[in-house]
Amino acid sequence: MIRMALMNPDRFTLQIHLQVNKHKPWIETSYHGVITENTDTVLLDPPLVALDKDAPVPFAGEICAFKIHGQDAPFEAVVLNRTSGEGQLRAKSPIDCELQKEYTFTVQAYDCGAQPNGVDWKKSHKAVVHIQVDDVNEFAPAFREQAYHAAVTEGRIYDSILQVEAWDQDCSPQYSQICNYDIITPDTPFAIDRNGNIRNTEKLSYDKQQRYKIMVTAFDCGQKRAAESVQVGIDVKPICKPGWQGWNKRVDYDPGTGSKQLFPKMHLETCDSPLSSVRATVELQTSHIGKGCDRETYSEKSLQKLCGAESGSTDLLPAPSTSTNWTASLLTDSGRDSDLIFRFDGRQAANVPDRVVPQNLTDQFTIATWMKHGPSPGLRAEKETLLCNSDKTEMNRHHYSLYVHHCRLVFLLRRDFTQVDTFRPAEFHWRLEQICDQEWHYYVINVEFPLVTLYVDGVTYEPYLVTDDWPIHPSKIDVQLTVGACWQGGEVTTPRFTQYFRGSLSGLTIRPGKIETQKVISCLQACKEGLDINSLESLGRGIKFHFNPAQSILVMEGEDLGSINVALTKVSYINSRQFPTAGIRRLRISTSVQCFGEDTCISIPDVEAVVMVLPPSEPRITIAGAERLTRPAMDLRGPAGVTLFQDLRIVSTVSKSDAPRCHARWTGTGNRLVGKGTSITTTHRPGVIELLHNLDYCDVLVIGEELDPEQESLQIPRSALLGKHLDATNSTSGISIYGVDSMSHYEQAIRQVRYRNWHPAGLKERRFCVTCSELNGRYTSNEFNMEVSVLHRSEVVEHVNHMAVQSQYMRAVHHPVMVHSLTSVHGSGTPPVATVAIVMCIAALVAIVVLGIYRIHTAHRLGSKSGQKGTEGRDADWDESALNITINPMENLEEPKAADGEASEEEEEEDDEEEDDGLEDDITSMESEDSDEEEAGGRSVKEEGKSKGRLEWKTTLS
C-alpha cells in the first residue's frame, strides 16, 4: 500500500477522503410551519435539524448549508450550528396573508465535505415544507352600499324590512367574517340581527312619522368595528291602495311644441299582488271641441281645395252675407273659433235660392255634411229632414231628400220618368249607432246610380235596406231645395215647412257630376289633435297597443308590470294646428288586471286628468301699400285695364310677449327662427315679431256703387292662380280669392288684380277695399283702402300743370318712391290751419313766377317754330278735338322784342336759368304733392329735344 502511495500520491489521497465522508446528511421527510403575517420568522414542526453519521469527523460530520427548492418561494434556510446541524427557516420579506395564505416547497441539507474547501460534499434527500400564514386583524369591516333605502306600509310588523351587508378584507375566517351588526341611532323602533336583517319592533304610523333615518355599524369576529357607519332610510307609506301613482291632474300644452308626454313619472301600484296581465285604456275626450275634436276651421271651399277635392261643389249652409242671405234666419253656434255650426231646434229651415241649386245632379253626385244628432223625442218619432228637394207648388213630390227616422239615415232619390221608366231603387236605409249618439260625425253619400255608398268618419257602410219605386212623371212644376225641413207647397191650404230637423249641421255641400274619393273624405274629417307614442322602439316586444281611427283612444296590454309602466310614460298629446282651439281636453285611464289562476283580482280605479291647451298668440294681419293711384282714362279703357295693387304687402306680427311658446332653433344666418308648427321672423320694429302662416281668403271689394257689368270689371288672370292652392270668384261686389295658401302667394295674386272701365268719361274716382282672413274669419286683417283717380284730357289742358311739363331750361327732379311702413298704415295727423295758409301763399307765389317763365319760353318757341317742322309728325297721334287753348294777350307784345336780336334772347335765357335754379327746391316740393299723377320713375317730362315742339302731355302710371 505504501508502495502504491509512493507511485501515485494523488490517487491515494482521494481514497482516504472517500473513506472519511462516508454518509449523507439526514433530515425529516416533511415539515409544517407557521408564520405570522407581516413577520419573517417561521415556526417549524419539527425543528429544522440535519444529522450526519460521519460526526464527529471534522467537515464530513458537519452541516454547512440548507437549500430551498420551489418556484419563487419567498423563504430562505440558514445554518445556526454546523456541528449540531441546527437550522432556521425565515422569510426573505414580510408575508401578506391577503396575497397568499399557504406556501409549499422542498429543502435539502449539505455537509461540509472531506476537507475545508468543501471537496467531496454530500446532500440529503429533499424534505417537503408546508407553511401556513397566520392572519392579523388589520382591516375594519366596510358596507357594500353607501346607503340603504326601503319602504314599508303603516300598521304592519315585518320580519325583515331590508338587509344590510358588510365585508372585511382580512384573509382568515376569524377576522374576515362579520359576526355582529348594531343600530347606533338611539330610540328607534327598529332592530337588527347578526345577519344584517332590519325589522320594526312596533307598528309604524304614517301620520306620526313618514320617514326614518337610522345609522348602522358592523363588527368582525375579532370585534373590530366598521370604520364608517351606513345610513338606512325607511319610508312609511299609508295603507296600500291599488292604483296609478305619480301623475298630474293637469297638463299644460303650449301651441307649437309638438308632442308632449302626459304621464312621465306614472306607475301602477299593485300592493304586492302578483299579476299575470295588465290592460290600460287611455281616452282623450274632445267631443266638446268644435265638431268632435280640433279640426281645421277653414270654409268648406277652402278645405276642399286644401284636400285636393274637385271643384264644383255648392255650399248649402254658407256664412250669412249679402249674397248668401238664406242662412241669416238660422241659429248659429259660431263662438268656437269661427267653426260655423247651425243649430236646428225643430222650428227653423231655409229655402235655398234657385240660382244656387244645381239643376242637374246626373247619375254621379256627392252629398256631404257634418251632423250631430240625438234620439228623437216621443214614441212615434217623425222624419227629420236634413235636405229636401220637393215641388214648390201644386203637388207634394219629393225628388230627393236626406232624413233621419228612428235613428236610421235614409236617402231618397226618385228619378224622372224621362230618364228611366222602370221600377228602380229609390230609398236607401242605414241603421248606425252614430246617428243618435249626440256626437259629431262626418257623413258622405256617394251616388253612382243605382249604387249608393255611405261614409261615416271615413268608414264605408252599405245600406241594409233598399226599396224600389216608380220614377216621377214629368211636369212643369218648379222645385224647391230646403235645408232643415221639407217644403210642402201643394195639397195644403198654406204652403209650409214640414218634417223639421232637430240637431246641428255644418258644411252641407252637394257636388253634381262627380263622387268624392276615399283620400279626400279622410282628409276632410281628419282630427288635428290626438294621442301619440313618443318612441315605439322603446315599448318592448311584450307590449301590444292599438289606436282608434281618430287617435282619441289608445289601448295597451302586457304581461310585465314594469313594461306597462314604461309604456304609459311614453303616451303623449299632440296638436298639429298652428292656432289650436284653446281649452280643456279631458283624459281618462281605465285599467283591468288579471292575477295568476284568477279571472280578476285587485280593482284599479280610473284616472281622470285634463290637458289644458293654452291660447295661441293672436296674429295681427296687416295689409299695406300705396293708397292712391292716378291714371288717365285711356289706361282704364285699355284691354288689360289698370293694375291696382302693384306694391301691396301682407305681413302678420305678434308682440314678443305674445310670441309662440315653441322651442325655436336657429337655422343658419339671418334672423329667422323656426319651430314646430310655427315660423317666426324678427322685424326691425322693437318688440314685434313677424309670423308666417297661411290665409284662407282675401276679398277685393268695391266701395260705393257696385260694378256695372256693362262698362267696368275687376279681373284677375287665371295664370295668377296657377301653381297655388287658390281659386277666385267674381261678382259685381268684387273678387274673392280663397284657398289655404301662404301670405306670399296671396300677395302675388292680389298684385295682378286689374280694374277696367271701357266708358270712363263720367268717372272721376273709384275706391276699393282689400281684407284678408285666416281660419275662416278667426283672424282678420285691417281694411286696406285704395282710391283710383281718373285723369281726363280736357281737364289736363285747361288746367296746365307746369310741374309736369317743364321748359327746356328746367331739369327733371326724380323723387324716391314712398314706402309705407306698418306704423303709417293706420292714418296720419291733420296739419294745423296756419300751416295750410303758409303753403297756399307759397304756392301762389311760385305760380306767378312760373307763369312769367312760361311766357318767355313761349316767345322763344315761336321764334324757332320754322325749324321744328319735324316734330309735327311725332305729335300727330295727339287728339286735338277737345283741345281748348287760351292765348295770353301779353305774348303779342313780347314778339317784337324777341325779334330784335338773339343777344337779348340769350340774356333772358341766362336769367331764366338762374331763376330756375333758385326755384328748383320750391318746384320739387310741389311735385312731391302731385307725385301720384307722375310716372313712378319721373317719366312725366319729355326730353329737352322733344319739348321744343308743340305742347305735349303724357301722363303715365305712378
Side-chain angles (χ1 to χ4, degrees):
M1 185 174 184
I2 296 173
R3 185 180 176 181
M4 292 177 62
L6 292 173
M7 291 177 65
N8 192 352
D10 295 335
R11 184 177 180 183
F12 182 76
T13 303
L14 178 60
Q15 290 178 353
I16 294 174
H17 292 164
L18 292 174
Q19 293 176 357
V20 174
N21 194 10
K22 296 179 180 180
H23 301 92
K24 298 178 181 179
W26 178 90
I27 59 176
E28 297 287 344
T29 58
S30 64
Y31 295 90
H32 292 274
V34 176
I35 184 173
T36 303
E37 185 180 16
N38 300 326
T39 65
D40 59 356
T41 302
V42 180
L43 300 177
L44 285 178
D45 182 24
L48 182 61
V49 177
L51 302 177
D52 196 321
K53 291 182 178 181
D54 292 326
V57 178
F59 303 111
E62 296 177 354
I63 302 300
C64 281
F66 291 97
K67 189 175 182 180
I68 292 177
H69 301 278
Q71 187 176 3
D72 299 329
F75 296 93
E76 61 181 2
V78 296
V79 179
L80 298 179
N81 191 321
R82 293 173 63 176
T83 302
S84 63
E86 182 182 357
Q88 184 183 30
L89 187 65
R90 62 188 181 188
K92 296 178 182 180
S93 61
I95 300 300
D96 190 353
C97 179
E98 284 71 41
L99 295 179
Q100 190 168 341
K101 297 180 181 181
E102 296 180 347
Y103 295 90
T104 301
F105 51 88
T106 60
V107 65
Q108 278 183 310
Y110 290 79
D111 62 14
C112 295
Q115 294 182 2
N117 59 1
V119 178
D120 193 22
W121 52 264
K122 292 184 181 295
K123 59 182 179 180
S124 70
H125 64 273
K126 293 181 179 179
V128 178
V129 181
H130 183 76
I131 305 297
Q132 182 176 353
V133 182
D134 278 352
D135 187 22
V136 175
N137 195 3
E138 58 183 328
F139 293 102
F143 287 94
R144 296 189 180 275
E145 303 290 340
Q146 294 181 353
Y148 292 86
H149 179 266
V152 296
T153 303
E154 64 176 346
R156 291 179 56 184
I157 298 294
Y158 290 83
D159 293 334
S160 176
I161 297 175
L162 79 160
Q163 184 183 24
V164 298
E165 184 180 2
W167 68 291
D168 198 310
Q169 297 184 38
D170 291 313
C171 65
S172 65
Q174 180 182 2
Y175 300 133
S176 64
Q177 292 182 358
I178 306 300
C179 286
N180 194 21
Y181 292 93
D182 192 16
I183 297 176
I184 61 177
T185 303
D187 302 327
T188 60
F190 300 97
I192 189 169
D193 62 18
R194 62 183 303 167
N195 294 322
N197 294 304
I198 299 177
R199 61 183 178 85
N200 58 320
T201 58
E202 62 183 46
K203 293 182 180 180
L204 305 179
S205 172
Y206 178 82
D207 296 331
K208 181 179 179 180
Q209 189 168 343
Q210 300 178 8
R211 181 177 177 83
Y212 290 88
K213 292 181 180 180
I214 59 177
M215 301 301 295
V216 177
T217 189
F219 297 88
D220 61 19
C221 294
Q223 293 305 304
K224 193 163 189 174
R225 180 175 170 173
E228 294 182 1
S229 301
V230 70
Q231 179 179 290
V232 179
I234 299 176
D235 292 334
V236 180
K237 299 189 301 182
I239 296 175
C240 182
K241 297 179 181 179
W244 292 100
Q245 297 181 0
W247 53 276
N248 295 324
K249 292 185 177 181
R250 167 171 166 163
V251 179
D252 288 342
Y253 180 81
D254 288 331
T257 55
S259 179
K260 182 171 184 177
Q261 285 181 273
L262 296 174
F263 319 106
K265 297 180 180 180
M266 189 171 71
H267 64 278
L268 180 62
E269 174 60 59
T270 62
C271 297
D272 299 329
S273 297
L275 304 181
S276 61
S277 67
V278 180
R279 178 186 176 93
T281 302
V282 185
E283 182 180 1
L284 179 68
Q285 299 174 357
T286 60
S287 59
H288 62 290
I289 301 296
K291 296 190 290 288
C293 68
D294 210 0
R295 295 181 170 92
E296 297 292 4
T297 57
Y298 296 114
S299 65
E300 285 302 314
K301 283 189 176 182
S302 297
L303 279 175
Q304 290 176 359
K305 189 76 175 179
L306 182 65
C307 291
E310 296 288 342
S311 60
S313 66
T314 301
D315 190 356
L316 301 180
L317 284 176
S321 66
T322 55
S323 58
T324 58
N325 56 2
W326 69 89
T327 60
S329 61
L330 301 179
L331 299 177
T332 60
D333 184 10
S334 58
R336 296 177 176 175
D337 298 323
S338 302
D339 197 1
L340 186 59
I341 295 172
F342 291 90
R343 291 189 294 109
F344 296 85
D345 59 0
R347 294 190 296 269
Q348 291 88 20
N351 284 330
V352 182
D354 294 340
R355 57 181 173 81
V356 178
V357 179
Q359 298 302 316
N360 184 14
L361 292 182
T362 72
D363 288 339
Q364 290 187 348
F365 61 93
T366 298
I367 298 176
T369 186
W370 286 94
M371 181 177 74
K372 180 180 179 181
H373 182 264
S376 302
L379 297 177
R380 298 185 61 183
E382 297 182 355
K383 295 180 180 180
E384 299 180 51
T385 303
L386 286 74
L387 179 68
C388 180
N389 185 270
S390 58
D391 291 332
K392 185 177 292 187
T393 57
E394 299 183 22
M395 304 182 71
N396 188 29
R397 298 176 302 175
H398 295 184
H399 297 259
Y400 63 86
S401 67
L402 180 65
Y403 61 90
V404 175
H405 191 212
H406 289 299
C407 292
R408 292 176 299 168
L409 186 67
V410 182
F411 177 63
L412 169 68
L413 178 63
R414 298 189 66 188
R415 314 297 290 177
D416 291 341
F417 189 86
T418 55
Q419 294 175 326
V420 61
D421 56 358
T422 59
F423 214 51
R424 301 301 297 271
E427 280 192 356
F428 304 84
H429 300 249
W430 293 271
R431 183 186 290 113
L432 303 173
E433 295 180 357
Q434 296 93 321
I435 297 173
C436 290
D437 64 357
Q438 200 63 32
E439 300 289 344
W440 280 104
H441 299 284
Y442 188 56
Y443 298 83
V444 178
I445 295 178
N446 272 350
V447 178
E448 291 181 285
F449 194 80
L451 299 178
V452 178
T453 305
L454 172 67
Y455 293 85
V456 180
D457 298 331
V459 180
T460 307
Y461 295 92
E462 298 296 333
Y464 80 94
L465 175 65
V466 178
T467 60
D468 297 341
D469 201 348
W470 290 104
I472 293 179
H473 290 278
S475 66
K476 296 182 179 181
I477 302 175
D478 293 333
V479 293
Q480 176 64 59
L481 183 62
T482 308
V483 176
C486 201
W487 179 256
Q488 187 172 1
E491 302 178 0
V492 291
T493 306
T494 303
R496 57 185 176 85
F497 290 115
T498 186
Q499 300 176 6
Y500 284 100
F501 177 71
R502 294 176 178 85
S504 298
L505 296 177
S506 179
L508 177 59
T509 61
I510 186 168
R511 181 196 309 277
K514 295 178 182 178
I515 62 173
E516 210 64 271
T517 64
Q518 176 78 46
K519 181 179 179 181
V520 172
I521 293 173
S522 299
C523 175
L524 289 173
Q525 60 92 32
C527 285
K528 296 300 181 179
E529 65 177 342
L531 298 173
D532 192 18
I533 297 178
N534 276 349
S535 176
L536 295 176
E537 295 79 8
S538 62
L539 288 183
R541 297 181 179 179
I543 300 298
K544 300 177 182 179
F545 70 94
H546 67 270
F547 289 95
N548 68 332
Q551 283 193 221
S552 60
I553 299 177
L554 168 62
V555 179
M556 285 187 169
E557 187 173 0
E559 298 179 355
D560 181 64
L561 179 60
S563 299
I564 284 288
N565 288 336
V566 173
L568 262 294
T569 62
K570 305 295 181 181
V571 178
S572 60
Y573 170 81
I574 188 170
N575 195 316
S576 60
R577 294 188 67 193
Q578 187 173 2
F579 304 106
T581 303
I584 289 176
R585 278 75 164 161
R586 300 191 181 278
L587 282 170
R588 179 187 294 273
I589 302 178
S590 55
T591 310
S592 61
V593 297
Q594 289 187 344
C595 296
F596 292 97
E598 302 178 23
D599 293 335
T600 60
C601 44
I602 59 176
S603 176
I604 308 297
D606 292 347
V607 170
E608 293 188 356
V610 296
V611 176
M612 175 60 73
V613 179
L614 302 179
S617 303
E618 295 193 2
R620 181 183 181 184
I621 306 173
T622 305
I623 306 176
E627 299 180 354
R628 288 181 58 85
L629 188 66
T630 304
R631 289 292 184 269
M634 67 177 63
D635 288 355
L636 272 66
R637 284 198 301 265
V642 174
T643 303
L644 297 179
F645 311 102
Q646 284 185 335
D647 62 345
L648 182 132
R649 177 89 170 95
I650 304 175
V651 296
S652 181
T653 57
V654 293
S655 62
K656 284 187 177 180
S657 59
D658 296 333
R661 294 169 287 272
C662 64
H663 301 291
R665 55 183 174 86
W666 291 105
T667 58
T669 59
N671 292 328
R672 177 152 300 187
L673 286 168
V674 179
K676 285 187 177 182
T678 306
S679 183
I680 310 170
T681 302
T682 58
T683 65
H684 297 291
R685 294 179 58 195
V688 174
I689 297 177
E690 184 175 340
L691 195 66
L692 301 182
H693 57 78
N694 291 329
L695 301 174
D696 59 348
Y697 70 81
C698 285
D699 291 335
V700 182
L701 303 177
V702 180
I703 300 177
E705 296 182 0
E706 293 188 354
L707 295 173
D708 184 359
E710 299 295 330
Q711 66 176 17
E712 58 182 344
S713 67
L714 272 178
Q715 303 170 351
I716 182 171
R718 297 303 302 178
S719 59
L721 308 177
L722 295 178
K724 306 177 181 68
H725 296 288
L726 299 179
D727 207 341
T729 58
N730 205 332
S731 68
T732 57
S733 300
I735 293 178
S736 179
I737 305 172
Y738 63 90
V740 182
D741 212 332
S742 64
M743 290 185 289
S744 61
H745 280 178
Y746 269 94
E747 280 182 4
Q748 297 170 15
I750 296 175
R751 287 172 182 174
Q752 299 188 52
V753 172
R754 310 180 75 89
Y755 171 67
R756 187 186 177 204
N757 191 318
W758 42 93
H759 299 297
L763 182 66
K764 289 187 178 181
E765 63 180 17
R766 250 309 192 182
R767 298 179 64 198
F768 303 91
C769 174
V770 181
T771 57
C772 292
S773 158
E774 164 66 338
L775 296 175
N776 199 23
R778 178 177 174 183
Y779 304 116
T780 56
S781 70
N782 62 308
E783 292 186 359
F784 174 73
N785 295 324
M786 162 65 72
E787 182 176 327
V788 180
S789 299
V790 183
L791 290 178
H792 299 279
R793 289 197 182 96
S794 59
E795 296 177 359
V796 172
V797 176
E798 291 175 358
H799 306 283
V800 179
N801 187 348
H802 297 280
M803 301 301 102
V805 182
Q806 302 174 4
S807 70
Q808 57 182 330
Y809 309 106
M810 299 175 65
R811 61 183 180 89
V813 179
H814 301 279
H815 303 283
V817 178
M818 294 182 64
V819 180
H820 296 264
S821 65
L822 292 178
T823 57
S824 65
V825 172
H826 303 288
S828 60
T830 304
V833 178
T835 305
V836 175
I838 294 173
V839 172
M840 293 178 62
C841 293
I842 295 174
L845 179 61
V846 172
I848 295 173
V849 174
V850 173
L851 184 60
I853 297 172
Y854 176 73
R855 289 200 300 268
I856 298 172
H857 173 60
T858 304
H860 174 71
R861 290 178 60 188
L862 292 175
S864 57
K865 184 175 180 180
S866 59
Q868 304 297 331
K869 293 181 179 180
T871 61
E872 294 177 0
R874 290 193 299 268
D875 298 334
D877 57 343
W878 175 256
D879 186 7
E880 298 180 353
S881 59
L883 191 64
N884 296 325
I885 300 176
T886 302
I887 300 177
N888 193 329
M890 295 190 67
E891 292 181 357
N892 295 330
L893 300 177
E894 292 178 355
E895 288 181 3
K897 184 177 181 180
D900 288 342
E902 295 180 2
S904 60
E905 185 174 312
E906 291 175 357
E907 294 177 357
E908 290 177 356
E909 290 176 0
E910 293 175 357
D911 294 337
D912 292 343
E913 290 176 356
E914 294 176 358
E915 192 172 20
D916 289 348
D917 293 338
L919 295 174
E920 183 175 307
D921 294 337
D922 293 336
I923 295 172
T924 302
S925 63
M926 293 179 62
E927 287 183 331
S928 64
E929 296 177 4
D930 298 331
S931 59
D932 291 338
E933 300 176 8
E934 295 181 357
E935 183 72 16
R939 293 185 290 119
S940 62
V941 183
K942 300 291 286 184
E943 295 181 358
E944 184 176 345
K946 296 181 180 180
S947 65
K948 293 180 180 180
R950 293 184 295 111
L951 186 62
E952 180 175 321
W953 292 92
K954 183 176 182 180
T955 306
T956 57
L957 303 179
S958 60

